[in-house]
């Protein structure tokens, strides 16, 4: 393995584990059927709650979770739970979130004069495995569930891998148009554009039969659903083609307006078909920025099974998700994702602006060249039915020791001695 350390933070104090300062509180939402759903939220009142890994339990934001053979969350990751960079005033992620929120508030208004979209940006990042995967139709055995790619507190609880983990609950509460922002956690490689904690923002919009067809000539004769239909690349089996096409148009128009609001009217945009377990059809948006095509978000028509299970079976909807770091790195010319976690005043003062829409170009903190170190080691043999080593295991080890000084880790060679062909390779 080649480990590259960068002096990017050489003039900065190393990031220290912080006490998680947020108080848990309960928020109970009334459902249409008269029942309630309890959401765990935390306030921005900074108190002394800490996240701790004990011998038999893991404590996160004041709640204790029993450890088991699936527990793999690390002290370094727990130290970041509750930081909520997207809610820190004038942090670049906060600026991006506020710009997106301001756009939706001003562009989509109800007849009553209130914003159509509500915003949720402080939901607890600890979720159940069912919330994170099953509620989104991600089947057992799917690669995205792997222990090597996620942070598990135990076999039933985890740090959310995407903000979509809350989607079903918010729809169950009766919401039909909302934005959701938060920190998400995934074990990942080490380089300037990947980090095990990052931030997402997603949107959901649901339509009733009247809402979707009210502006269509003879719309009262049209329907969201059909019986005996077939799933095709263009639609799901229960949806009518005309309904899907209208929802797809509204989705793409909404996102085109958002991205041009952020990047400018002259931006070149293209759409491509893709696959997600929770939407169909599904799309990715790419924009041409500084001469290259860059993927900025994924979206699609929500799987009707999700809406049925959330009590919104009479509606059809769309959903999208985007990464706040990716947008901020491009808009503000931030070269390294680790900088978002800096506590250096030289970083923050560049983003203290009067107007959230003011153009900002980040000025680097250090121009010293990086240092390279090559490391080689032998791997243990795998136990039967269990993988003994994944690359993410090594990345976690490097992060726990090198912290933010390590910019990138890359595999440059592997070797299996001819006498031990059944053994694991040596990584260099």
């Amino acid at each position: 393995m080649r480990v590259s350390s960068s002096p990017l933070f050489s003039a900065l104090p190393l990031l220290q584990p912080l006490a998680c300062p947020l108080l848990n509180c309960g928020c109970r939402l009334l459902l249409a059927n008269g029942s309630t759903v309890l959401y765990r939220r935390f306030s921005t009142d900074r108190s002394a709650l800490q996240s701790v890994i004990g011998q038999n339990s893991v404590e996160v934001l004041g709640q204790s979770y029993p450890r088991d053979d699936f527990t793999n969350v690390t002290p370094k990751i727990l130290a970041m739970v509750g930081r909520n960079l997207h809610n820190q005033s004038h942090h670049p992620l906060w600026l991006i979130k506020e710009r997106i929120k301001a756009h939706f508030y001003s562009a989509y208004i109800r007849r009553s004069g209130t914003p159509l979209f509500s915003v949720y940006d402080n939901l607890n990042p600890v979720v159940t495995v069912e919330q994170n995967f099953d509620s989104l139709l991600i089947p057992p055995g799917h690669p995205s569930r792997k222990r090597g790619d996620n942070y598990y507190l135990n076999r039933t609880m985890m740090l959310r891998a995407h903000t979509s983990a809350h989607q079903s609950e918010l729809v169950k509460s009766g919401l039909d148009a909302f934005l959701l922002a938060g920190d998400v956690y995934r074990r990942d490689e080490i380089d300037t554009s990947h980090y095990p904690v990052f931030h997402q923002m997603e949107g959901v919009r649901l339509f009733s039969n009247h809402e979707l067809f009210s502006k269509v000539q003879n719309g009262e004769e049209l329907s969201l659903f059909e019986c005996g239909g077939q799933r095709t690349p263009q639609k799901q089996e229960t949806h009518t083609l005309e309904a899907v096409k209208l929802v797809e148009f509204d989705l793409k128009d909404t996102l085109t307006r958002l991205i041009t609001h952020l990047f400018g009217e002259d931006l070149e945009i293209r759409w491509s078909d893709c696959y997600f377990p929770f939407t169909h059809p599904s799309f990715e948006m790419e924009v041409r920025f500084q001469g290259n095509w860059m993927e900025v978000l994924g979206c699609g028509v929500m799987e009707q099974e999700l809406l049925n299970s959330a009590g919104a079976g009479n509606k059809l909807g769309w959903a999208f998700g985007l990464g706040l770091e990716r947008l901020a790195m491009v808009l503000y010319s931030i070269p390294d994702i680790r900088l978002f976690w800096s506590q250096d005043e030289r970083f923050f003062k560049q983003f203290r602006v009067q107007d959230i829409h003011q153009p900002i170009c980040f000025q680097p903190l250090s121009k010293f060249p990086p240092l390279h170190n090559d490391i080689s080691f032998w791997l243990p043999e795998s136990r039967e039915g269990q993988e003994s080593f994944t690359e993410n295991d090594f990345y976690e080890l490097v992060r726990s020791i090198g912290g933010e000084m390590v910019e990138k880790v890359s595999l440059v060679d592997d070797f299996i001695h001819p006498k031990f062909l059944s053994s694991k390779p040596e990584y260099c």
Side-chain angles (χ1 to χ4, degrees):
M1 289 283 187
R2 174 159 294 161
V3 181
S4 301
S5 59
S6 167
L8 186 67
F9 288 87
S10 59
L12 315 182
L14 287 177
L15 299 181
Q16 299 296 324
L18 296 182
C20 294
L22 304 176
L23 287 173
N24 280 332
C25 62
C27 176
R28 194 172 294 275
L29 299 179
L30 180 67
L31 303 187
N33 61 10
S35 61
T36 60
V37 172
L38 178 66
Y39 287 90
R40 282 178 302 164
R41 296 172 61 101
F42 30 86
S43 75
T44 53
D45 178 26
R46 292 189 172 272
S47 60
L49 290 180
Q50 295 189 14
S51 296
V52 180
I53 301 178
Q55 184 174 357
N56 300 313
S57 65
V58 179
E59 188 169 320
V60 186
L61 298 174
Q63 296 290 322
S64 183
Y65 305 90
R67 295 185 61 172
D68 61 21
D69 62 323
F70 237 59
T71 305
N72 67 348
V73 67
T74 65
K76 179 177 175 61
I77 295 301
L78 286 183
M80 298 177 179
V81 177
R83 289 281 299 276
N84 293 338
L85 302 184
H86 62 291
N87 288 337
Q88 294 183 16
S89 182
H90 295 287
H91 189 282
L93 298 182
W94 177 86
L95 289 174
I96 290 289
K97 184 200 71 174
E98 291 300 308
R99 289 185 63 177
I100 294 173
K101 189 168 74 173
H103 169 74
F104 274 91
Y105 276 179
S106 63
Y108 305 96
I109 306 294
R110 298 183 187 273
R111 291 184 178 180
S112 62
T114 58
L116 174 64
F117 286 83
S118 52
V119 178
Y120 300 84
D121 59 8
N122 216 12
L123 296 180
N124 196 321
V126 177
V127 299
T128 65
V129 172
E130 190 277 334
Q131 285 176 289
N132 200 79
F133 297 117
D134 300 280
S135 72
L136 296 168
L137 307 181
I138 300 174
H142 192 275
S144 65
R145 291 177 176 253
K146 288 193 304 183
R147 183 174 178 269
D149 292 336
N150 299 282
Y151 290 104
Y152 285 92
L153 304 182
N154 52 45
R155 283 188 172 269
T156 61
M157 304 297 296
M158 64 186 297
L159 298 178
R160 64 188 171 209
H162 39 226
T163 50
S164 301
H166 304 285
Q167 193 177 98
S168 177
E169 295 157 89
L170 292 176
V171 173
K172 283 181 181 178
S173 73
L175 298 174
D176 58 10
F178 58 86
L179 301 174
L180 172 61
D183 45 338
V184 298
Y185 300 79
R186 298 181 193 173
R187 302 181 80 196
D188 213 338
E189 58 193 284
I190 298 177
D191 59 34
T192 57
S193 61
H194 291 85
Y195 204 76
V197 189
F198 57 102
H199 298 75
Q200 288 184 336
M201 192 164 192
E202 69 176 73
V204 169
R205 175 77 169 100
L206 306 183
F207 300 89
S208 66
N209 207 87
H210 173 73
E211 289 171 321
L212 189 61
F213 295 120
S214 61
K215 297 182 181 180
V216 177
Q217 187 175 5
N218 300 321
E220 66 279 359
E221 300 175 5
L222 301 175
S223 175
L224 299 177
F225 307 107
E226 64 180 8
C227 297
Q230 293 185 338
R231 177 173 289 245
T232 70
Q234 288 75 40
K235 73 179 195 69
Q236 299 171 38
E237 54 270 30
T238 58
H239 297 161
T240 63
L241 184 60
E242 54 266 26
V244 171
K245 289 302 180 183
L246 283 174
V247 170
E248 179 184 330
F249 175 83
D250 186 84
L251 168 63
K252 291 182 176 179
D253 179 67
T254 299
L255 294 176
T256 298
R257 293 173 66 182
L258 169 64
I259 296 302
T260 54
H261 168 75
L262 295 174
F263 287 86
E265 293 292 336
D266 297 329
L267 186 70
E268 189 177 353
I269 293 174
R270 72 180 183 187
W271 295 93
S272 59
D273 297 335
C274 63
Y275 167 78
F276 300 115
F278 32 83
T279 56
H280 179 78
S282 303
F283 314 98
E284 289 179 341
M285 175 196 278
E286 295 178 300
V287 301
R288 186 177 285 279
F289 190 82
Q290 295 181 345
N292 297 311
W293 286 105
M294 180 187 71
E295 176 196 336
V296 292
L297 59 83
C299 61
V301 178
M302 297 176 68
E303 282 284 353
Q304 195 60 35
E305 184 179 342
L306 294 179
L307 297 179
N308 294 344
S309 63
N314 63 330
K315 296 183 178 181
L316 192 151
W318 54 247
F320 73 85
L322 52 82
L324 294 180
E325 276 88 350
R326 169 161 288 192
L327 292 181
M329 290 176 78
V330 172
L331 285 173
Y332 303 137
S333 301
I334 298 174
D336 194 307
I337 196 170
R338 295 173 299 159
L339 280 164
F340 292 110
W341 296 91
S342 170
Q343 297 180 76
D344 194 303
E345 176 62 21
R346 295 173 299 168
F347 177 76
F348 282 111
K349 71 179 182 181
Q350 299 187 44
F351 299 94
R352 293 197 183 102
V353 292
Q354 295 285 337
D355 181 0
I356 61 174
H357 302 288
Q358 180 177 325
I360 301 171
C361 184
F362 171 72
Q363 300 300 315
L365 305 180
S366 174
K367 296 182 179 180
F368 293 103
L371 303 175
H372 298 277
N373 292 279
D374 288 341
I375 301 174
S376 63
F377 52 91
W378 288 97
L379 298 179
E381 291 188 89
S382 297
R383 299 175 183 175
E384 185 174 353
Q386 184 178 0
E387 192 174 20
S388 66
F389 173 83
T390 67
E391 290 185 12
N392 282 337
D393 294 330
F394 184 71
Y395 298 148
E396 288 297 320
L397 177 63
V398 171
R399 281 195 173 101
S400 66
I401 298 173
E404 311 311 320
M405 296 295 291
V406 180
E407 176 182 300
K408 183 176 181 180
V409 175
S410 58
L411 174 66
V412 295
D413 192 19
D414 58 64
F415 170 75
I416 301 177
H417 195 283
K419 293 182 178 180
F420 304 101
L421 290 178
S422 62
S423 301
K424 279 284 187 177
E426 178 189 23
Y427 278 74
C428 299

